[in-house]
Amino acid sequence: MRIDIGCAADLVPVVAANIQRGVDQVYRAHQGASASTVRAALKRKFGRAIGTSAIEVLAGYISDGNTPAITSSSR
């Protein structure tokens, strides 16, 4: 999954890694759970740091049992 990360270019890899780490934690805890459960966990984890559309897509991936890989669309 590609996420547009809006920060200084030299921080993009660090931010992407932090998002990936958080997504991995939610995946391990809620793999295969309902989309609403995963969505709530992602909202608790990230708050407003990532957008609602990204949370929806991530919740779909995780609830289907897939491991999302975060890549940045920023350069």
Side-chain angles (χ1 to χ4, degrees):
M1 173 177 188
R2 294 183 72 79
I3 293 180
D4 183 25
I5 298 173
C7 65
D10 56 338
L11 294 177
V12 169
V14 175
V15 173
N18 287 340
I19 292 171
Q20 182 68 56
R21 193 169 21 263
V23 168
D24 289 344
Q25 290 171 351
V26 171
Y27 173 77
R28 283 191 302 274
H30 300 286
Q31 178 182 4
S34 70
S36 61
T37 299
V38 175
R39 187 179 314 109
L42 288 166
K43 285 182 181 179
R44 279 192 307 275
K45 178 58 114 179
F46 292 108
R48 293 165 48 129
I50 62 175
T52 54
S53 59
I55 287 177
E56 291 297 322
V57 172
L58 286 168
Y61 276 51
I62 293 170
S63 66
D64 289 343
N66 299 314
T67 308
I70 304 300
T71 58
S72 171
S73 58
S74 299
R75 297 190 194 272

Coordinates of all heavy atoms in Angstrom, one line a residue:
M1 N 0.8 -1.2 0.0 CA 0.0 0.0 0.0 C 0.9 1.2 0.0 O 1.8 1.3 0.8 CB -0.9 0.0 1.3 CG -1.7 1.2 1.5 SD -2.7 1.1 2.9 CE -3.6 2.5 2.6
R2 N 0.6 2.2 -0.9 CA 1.4 3.4 -0.9 C 0.6 4.5 -0.2 O -0.6 4.7 -0.3 CB 1.5 3.8 -2.4 CG 2.4 2.9 -3.2 CD 2.6 3.3 -4.6 NE 3.6 4.4 -4.7 CZ 4.9 4.3 -4.6 NH1 5.4 3.1 -4.4 NH2 5.7 5.4 -4.7
I3 N 1.4 5.2 0.6 CA 0.8 6.3 1.4 C 1.7 7.6 1.1 O 2.9 7.5 1.1 CB 0.9 6.0 2.9 CG1 0.0 4.9 3.3 CG2 0.6 7.2 3.8 CD1 0.0 4.5 4.8
D4 N 1.0 8.7 0.9 CA 1.6 9.9 0.6 C 2.0 10.5 2.0 O 1.1 10.8 2.8 CB 0.7 10.9 -0.1 CG 1.4 12.2 -0.4 OD1 2.7 12.2 -0.5 OD2 0.7 13.2 -0.6
I5 N 3.3 10.6 2.3 CA 3.8 11.0 3.6 C 4.2 12.5 3.4 O 5.2 12.8 2.7 CB 4.9 10.1 4.1 CG1 4.4 8.7 4.3 CG2 5.5 10.7 5.4 CD1 5.5 7.7 4.6
G6 N 3.5 13.4 4.1 CA 3.8 14.8 4.0 C 4.7 15.3 5.1 O 4.3 15.7 6.1
C7 N 6.0 15.2 4.8 CA 7.0 15.7 5.8 C 8.3 16.0 5.0 O 8.4 15.8 3.8 CB 7.3 14.7 6.9 SG 8.0 13.2 6.5
A8 N 9.3 16.4 5.7 CA 10.6 16.7 5.1 C 11.1 15.4 4.4 O 11.0 14.3 5.0 CB 11.6 17.1 6.1
A9 N 11.7 15.5 3.2 CA 12.1 14.3 2.5 C 13.0 13.4 3.2 O 12.9 12.2 3.1 CB 12.7 14.8 1.2
D10 N 13.9 13.9 4.0 CA 14.8 13.1 4.7 C 14.2 12.3 5.9 O 14.7 11.3 6.4 CB 16.1 13.8 5.3 CG 15.7 15.0 6.1 OD1 14.5 15.5 6.1 OD2 16.5 15.5 6.9
L11 N 13.0 12.7 6.3 CA 12.2 12.0 7.3 C 11.3 10.9 6.8 O 10.8 10.1 7.6 CB 11.4 13.0 8.2 CG 12.2 14.0 9.0 CD1 11.3 14.9 9.7 CD2 13.1 13.2 10.0
V12 N 11.0 10.9 5.5 CA 10.0 10.0 4.9 C 10.3 8.5 5.2 O 9.4 7.8 5.7 CB 9.9 10.2 3.4 CG1 9.1 9.1 2.7 CG2 9.3 11.6 3.1
P13 N 11.6 8.1 5.1 CA 11.8 6.7 5.5 C 11.6 6.3 6.9 O 11.1 5.2 7.2 CB 13.3 6.5 5.1 CG 13.7 7.6 4.2 CD 12.8 8.7 4.6
V14 N 11.9 7.3 7.8 CA 11.6 7.0 9.2 C 10.1 7.0 9.5 O 9.7 6.1 10.2 CB 12.3 8.2 10.1 CG1 12.0 8.0 11.5 CG2 13.8 8.2 9.9
V15 N 9.4 7.9 8.9 CA 7.9 7.9 9.1 C 7.3 6.7 8.6 O 6.4 6.0 9.2 CB 7.3 9.2 8.5 CG1 5.8 9.2 8.6 CG2 7.8 10.4 9.3
A16 N 7.7 6.3 7.4 CA 7.2 5.1 6.7 C 7.5 3.8 7.6 O 6.6 3.0 7.8 CB 7.8 4.9 5.3
A17 N 8.7 3.8 8.2 CA 9.0 2.6 9.0 C 8.2 2.6 10.3 O 7.7 1.6 10.8 CB 10.5 2.7 9.4
N18 N 7.9 3.8 10.9 CA 7.1 3.9 12.1 C 5.6 3.4 11.8 O 5.0 2.7 12.6 CB 7.1 5.3 12.7 CG 8.4 5.6 13.3 OD1 9.1 4.7 13.7 ND2 8.7 6.9 13.5
I19 N 5.1 3.9 10.6 CA 3.8 3.4 10.2 C 3.7 1.9 10.0 O 2.8 1.2 10.5 CB 3.3 4.2 9.0 CG1 3.1 5.7 9.3 CG2 2.0 3.6 8.4 CD1 2.9 6.5 8.0
Q20 N 4.8 1.4 9.3 CA 4.8 -0.1 9.1 C 4.8 -0.8 10.4 O 4.2 -1.8 10.6 CB 6.0 -0.4 8.3 CG 6.1 -1.9 8.0 CD 5.0 -2.4 7.0 OE1 4.9 -1.8 5.9 NE2 4.2 -3.3 7.4
R21 N 5.6 -0.3 11.4 CA 5.7 -1.0 12.7 C 4.4 -1.0 13.4 O 3.9 -2.0 14.0 CB 6.8 -0.3 13.6 CG 7.2 -1.0 14.8 CD 8.4 -0.4 15.5 NE 8.8 0.9 15.3 CZ 9.7 1.3 14.4 NH1 10.4 0.4 13.7 NH2 10.0 2.6 14.2
G22 N 3.6 0.1 13.4 CA 2.3 0.2 14.0 C 1.3 -0.7 13.3 O 0.5 -1.4 13.9
V23 N 1.4 -0.8 11.9 CA 0.5 -1.6 11.2 C 0.8 -3.1 11.5 O -0.1 -3.9 11.7 CB 0.6 -1.4 9.7 CG1 -0.1 -2.4 8.8 CG2 0.0 0.0 9.3
D24 N 2.1 -3.4 11.6 CA 2.4 -4.8 12.0 C 1.9 -5.2 13.3 O 1.4 -6.3 13.5 CB 3.9 -5.0 11.9 CG 4.5 -5.0 10.5 OD1 3.7 -5.1 9.6 OD2 5.8 -4.8 10.4
Q25 N 1.9 -4.3 14.3 CA 1.4 -4.6 15.6 C -0.1 -4.8 15.6 O -0.6 -5.8 16.2 CB 1.7 -3.4 16.6 CG 3.2 -3.3 16.9 CD 3.5 -2.0 17.7 OE1 2.6 -1.1 17.8 NE2 4.7 -1.9 18.2
V26 N -0.8 -4.0 14.9 CA -2.3 -4.2 14.7 C -2.5 -5.5 14.0 O -3.4 -6.3 14.4 CB -2.9 -3.0 14.0 CG1 -4.4 -3.3 13.7 CG2 -2.8 -1.7 14.9
Y27 N -1.8 -5.8 13.0 CA -2.0 -7.0 12.2 C -1.8 -8.3 13.1 O -2.6 -9.2 13.1 CB -0.9 -7.1 11.0 CG -0.9 -8.4 10.3 CD1 -1.9 -8.7 9.4 CD2 0.0 -9.4 10.6 CE1 -2.0 -10.0 8.8 CE2 0.0 -10.6 9.9 CZ -1.0 -10.9 9.0 OH -1.0 -12.1 8.4
R28 N -0.7 -8.3 13.9 CA -0.5 -9.4 14.8 C -1.6 -9.6 15.8 O -2.0 -10.7 16.1 CB 0.9 -9.3 15.5 CG 2.0 -9.6 14.6 CD 3.3 -9.7 15.4 NE 3.7 -8.5 16.1 CZ 4.3 -7.5 15.6 NH1 4.8 -7.5 14.4 NH2 4.6 -6.4 16.3
A29 N -2.1 -8.5 16.3 CA -3.2 -8.5 17.4 C -4.5 -8.8 16.8 O -5.4 -9.4 17.5 CB -3.2 -7.2 18.1
H30 N -4.8 -8.4 15.6 CA -6.2 -8.5 15.0 C -6.3 -9.2 13.7 O -7.3 -9.0 13.0 CB -6.8 -7.1 14.9 CG -6.8 -6.4 16.2 ND1 -7.7 -6.7 17.2 CD2 -6.0 -5.4 16.7 CE1 -7.5 -5.9 18.2 NE2 -6.5 -5.1 18.0
Q31 N -5.3 -10.0 13.3 CA -5.4 -10.7 12.0 C -6.6 -11.5 11.9 O -7.0 -12.3 12.8 CB -4.2 -11.6 12.0 CG -4.1 -12.4 10.7 CD -2.9 -13.4 10.7 OE1 -2.2 -13.4 11.7 NE2 -2.7 -14.1 9.6
G32 N -7.4 -11.3 10.8 CA -8.6 -12.1 10.6 C -9.8 -11.6 11.3 O -10.9 -12.1 11.2
A33 N -9.7 -10.5 12.2 CA -10.8 -10.0 12.9 C -11.7 -9.2 11.9 O -11.4 -9.0 10.8 CB -10.4 -9.1 14.0
S34 N -12.9 -8.8 12.4 CA -13.8 -8.1 11.6 C -13.2 -6.7 11.2 O -12.4 -6.2 11.9 CB -15.1 -7.9 12.3 OG -15.0 -6.9 13.3
A35 N -13.6 -6.2 10.1 CA -13.1 -4.9 9.6 C -13.4 -3.8 10.6 O -12.5 -3.0 10.8 CB -13.7 -4.6 8.2
S36 N -14.5 -3.8 11.3 CA -14.8 -2.8 12.2 C -13.9 -2.9 13.5 O -13.4 -1.8 14.0 CB -16.3 -2.8 12.7 OG -16.5 -4.0 13.3
T37 N -13.5 -4.1 13.9 CA -12.6 -4.2 15.0 C -11.2 -3.8 14.6 O -10.5 -3.0 15.4 CB -12.5 -5.7 15.4 OG1 -13.8 -6.2 15.8 CG2 -11.5 -6.0 16.5
V38 N -10.8 -4.1 13.4 CA -9.4 -3.7 12.9 C -9.4 -2.2 12.8 O -8.5 -1.5 13.1 CB -9.1 -4.4 11.6 CG1 -7.8 -3.9 11.1 CG2 -9.0 -5.9 11.9
R39 N -10.5 -1.6 12.2 CA -10.6 -0.2 12.0 C -10.4 0.6 13.3 O -9.7 1.5 13.4 CB -11.9 0.2 11.3 CG -12.0 1.6 10.9 CD -13.4 1.9 10.2 NE -13.7 0.9 9.2 CZ -14.7 0.0 9.3 NH1 -15.5 0.0 10.4 NH2 -15.0 -0.8 8.4
A40 N -11.1 0.1 14.3 CA -11.1 0.7 15.7 C -9.7 0.6 16.2 O -9.1 1.6 16.8 CB -12.1 0.1 16.6
A41 N -9.0 -0.5 16.1 CA -7.6 -0.7 16.5 C -6.7 0.3 15.8 O -5.8 0.9 16.4 CB -7.2 -2.1 16.4
L42 N -6.8 0.4 14.5 CA -6.0 1.3 13.7 C -6.2 2.8 14.2 O -5.3 3.6 14.3 CB -6.3 1.2 12.2 CG -5.7 -0.1 11.6 CD1 -6.3 -0.3 10.2 CD2 -4.2 -0.1 11.5
K43 N -7.5 3.1 14.4 CA -7.8 4.5 14.9 C -7.1 4.8 16.2 O -6.6 5.9 16.5 CB -9.3 4.7 14.9 CG -9.9 4.9 13.5 CD -11.4 5.2 13.6 CE -11.9 5.4 12.2 NZ -13.4 5.6 12.3
R44 N -7.2 3.8 17.1 CA -6.5 3.9 18.4 C -5.0 4.1 18.3 O -4.4 4.9 19.0 CB -6.8 2.7 19.3 CG -8.2 2.8 20.0 CD -8.3 1.7 21.1 NE -8.0 0.4 20.7 CZ -8.8 -0.5 20.1 NH1 -10.1 -0.1 19.9 NH2 -8.5 -1.7 19.7
K45 N -4.5 3.3 17.4 CA -3.0 3.3 17.2 C -2.5 4.6 16.6 O -1.5 5.1 17.0 CB -2.6 2.1 16.3 CG -1.2 2.0 16.0 CD -0.3 1.9 17.2 CE 0.4 0.6 17.4 NZ 1.2 0.6 18.6
F46 N -3.2 5.0 15.5 CA -2.7 6.2 14.8 C -3.4 7.5 15.0 O -2.9 8.5 14.6 CB -2.7 5.8 13.3 CG -1.8 4.8 12.9 CD1 -2.2 3.5 12.5 CD2 -0.4 5.0 12.8 CE1 -1.4 2.5 12.2 CE2 0.5 4.0 12.5 CZ 0.0 2.8 12.1
G47 N -4.6 7.4 15.6 CA -5.3 8.7 15.8 C -5.6 9.4 14.5 O -6.1 8.8 13.6
R48 N -5.2 10.6 14.4 CA -5.4 11.3 13.1 C -4.1 11.4 12.3 O -4.0 12.2 11.4 CB -5.9 12.7 13.5 CG -7.3 12.7 14.1 CD -7.7 14.0 14.7 NE -7.4 15.1 13.9 CZ -8.3 16.1 13.7 NH1 -9.5 15.9 14.2 NH2 -8.0 17.1 12.9
A49 N -3.1 10.6 12.6 CA -1.8 10.7 11.9 C -1.9 10.2 10.5 O -1.2 10.6 9.6 CB -0.8 9.8 12.7
I50 N -2.8 9.2 10.2 CA -3.1 8.8 8.9 C -4.6 9.0 8.6 O -5.4 9.0 9.5 CB -2.6 7.3 8.6 CG1 -3.4 6.3 9.4 CG2 -1.1 7.2 8.8 CD1 -3.0 4.9 9.1
G51 N -4.9 9.2 7.3 CA -6.2 9.5 6.9 C -7.2 8.3 7.0 O -6.8 7.2 7.1
T52 N -8.5 8.7 7.0 CA -9.5 7.7 7.1 C -9.6 6.7 5.9 O -9.8 5.5 6.1 CB -10.9 8.3 7.3 OG1 -11.2 9.2 6.2 CG2 -11.0 9.1 8.6
S53 N -9.2 7.2 4.7 CA -9.2 6.3 3.6 C -8.1 5.3 3.7 O -8.3 4.1 3.4 CB -9.1 7.1 2.3 OG -7.9 7.8 2.2
A54 N -6.9 5.7 4.2 CA -5.9 4.7 4.5 C -6.2 3.7 5.5 O -6.0 2.5 5.4 CB -4.6 5.5 4.9
I55 N -6.9 4.2 6.6 CA -7.4 3.3 7.7 C -8.4 2.3 7.1 O -8.3 1.1 7.4 CB -7.9 4.1 8.8 CG1 -6.8 4.8 9.6 CG2 -8.8 3.2 9.8 CD1 -7.2 5.6 10.8
E56 N -9.3 2.7 6.3 CA -10.2 1.8 5.7 C -9.6 0.7 4.8 O -9.9 -0.5 4.9 CB -11.2 2.6 4.8 CG -12.2 3.5 5.6 CD -13.1 2.7 6.5 OE1 -13.5 1.6 6.1 OE2 -13.3 3.2 7.6
V57 N -8.6 1.1 4.0 CA -7.9 0.1 3.2 C -7.1 -0.8 4.0 O -7.1 -2.0 3.8 CB -7.0 0.9 2.1 CG1 -6.2 -0.1 1.4 CG2 -7.9 1.7 1.2
L58 N -6.4 -0.3 5.0 CA -5.6 -1.1 5.9 C -6.5 -2.1 6.6 O -6.2 -3.3 6.8 CB -4.8 -0.3 6.9 CG -3.6 0.4 6.3 CD1 -3.1 1.5 7.3 CD2 -2.5 -0.6 5.9
A59 N -7.6 -1.6 7.1 CA -8.6 -2.5 7.8 C -9.0 -3.6 6.9 O -9.2 -4.8 7.4 CB -9.8 -1.7 8.4
G60 N -9.3 -3.4 5.7 CA -9.7 -4.4 4.7 C -8.6 -5.4 4.5 O -8.9 -6.6 4.5
Y61 N -7.4 -5.0 4.4 CA -6.3 -5.9 4.2 C -6.1 -6.8 5.4 O -6.0 -8.0 5.3 CB -4.9 -5.1 4.1 CG -4.6 -4.6 2.7 CD1 -5.5 -3.9 1.9 CD2 -3.3 -4.8 2.2 CE1 -5.1 -3.4 0.7 CE2 -3.0 -4.3 0.9 CZ -3.9 -3.6 0.2 OH -3.5 -3.1 -1.0
I62 N -6.1 -6.2 6.6 CA -5.9 -7.0 7.8 C -7.0 -7.9 8.1 O -6.8 -9.1 8.5 CB -5.6 -6.0 9.0 CG1 -4.2 -5.3 8.7 CG2 -5.5 -6.8 10.3 CD1 -3.9 -4.1 9.7
S63 N -8.2 -7.5 7.9 CA -9.4 -8.3 8.2 C -9.5 -9.5 7.3 O -10.0 -10.6 7.6 CB -10.7 -7.5 8.3 OG -11.0 -7.1 7.0
D64 N -8.9 -9.3 6.1 CA -8.8 -10.4 5.1 C -7.7 -11.4 5.4 O -7.5 -12.4 4.7 CB -8.7 -9.9 3.7 CG -10.0 -9.3 3.2 OD1 -11.1 -9.5 3.8 OD2 -10.0 -8.5 2.2
G65 N -6.9 -11.0 6.4 CA -5.7 -11.9 6.7 C -4.4 -11.6 6.0 O -3.5 -12.3 6.0
N66 N -4.4 -10.5 5.3 CA -3.2 -10.1 4.5 C -2.3 -9.1 5.3 O -2.8 -8.4 6.1 CB -3.7 -9.4 3.2 CG -4.5 -10.3 2.3 OD1 -4.2 -11.5 2.1 ND2 -5.6 -9.8 1.8
T67 N -1.1 -9.2 5.0 CA -0.1 -8.3 5.6 C 0.2 -7.1 4.7 O 0.7 -7.3 3.7 CB 1.3 -9.1 5.9 OG1 1.0 -10.3 6.5 CG2 2.2 -8.2 6.7
P68 N -0.3 -5.9 5.2 CA 0.0 -4.8 4.3 C 1.5 -4.3 4.4 O 2.1 -4.4 5.5 CB -0.9 -3.7 4.9 CG -1.6 -4.3 6.1 CD -1.1 -5.6 6.3
A69 N 2.1 -4.0 3.3 CA 3.4 -3.4 3.3 C 3.3 -2.0 2.9 O 2.8 -1.6 1.9 CB 4.3 -4.2 2.3
I70 N 3.9 -1.1 3.7 CA 3.8 0.3 3.5 C 5.0 0.8 2.7 O 6.1 0.5 3.0 CB 3.8 1.1 4.9 CG1 2.7 0.6 5.8 CG2 3.7 2.6 4.7 CD1 1.3 0.8 5.3
T71 N 4.7 1.5 1.6 CA 5.7 2.2 0.8 C 5.3 3.6 0.7 O 4.1 3.9 0.8 CB 5.8 1.5 -0.6 OG1 4.6 1.6 -1.2 CG2 6.3 0.1 -0.5
S72 N 6.2 4.4 0.5 CA 5.9 5.9 0.4 C 5.8 6.3 -1.1 O 6.5 5.9 -1.9 CB 7.0 6.7 1.0 OG 6.9 8.0 0.8
S73 N 4.8 7.2 -1.3 CA 4.7 7.8 -2.6 C 5.4 9.1 -2.7 O 5.5 9.7 -3.7 CB 3.2 7.9 -3.0 OG 2.5 8.7 -2.1
S74 N 6.0 9.5 -1.6 CA 6.7 10.8 -1.5 C 8.2 10.5 -1.9 O 8.7 9.4 -1.8 CB 6.7 11.4 -0.1 OG 5.4 11.6 0.3
R75 N 8.8 11.6 -2.4 CA 10.2 11.4 -2.9 C 11.0 12.4 -2.2 O 10.7 13.5 -1.9 CB 10.3 11.6 -4.4 CG 9.6 10.5 -5.1 CD 9.9 10.6 -6.6 NE 8.9 9.8 -7.3 CZ 9.1 8.5 -7.5 NH1 10.1 7.8 -7.1 NH2 8.2 7.9 -8.2

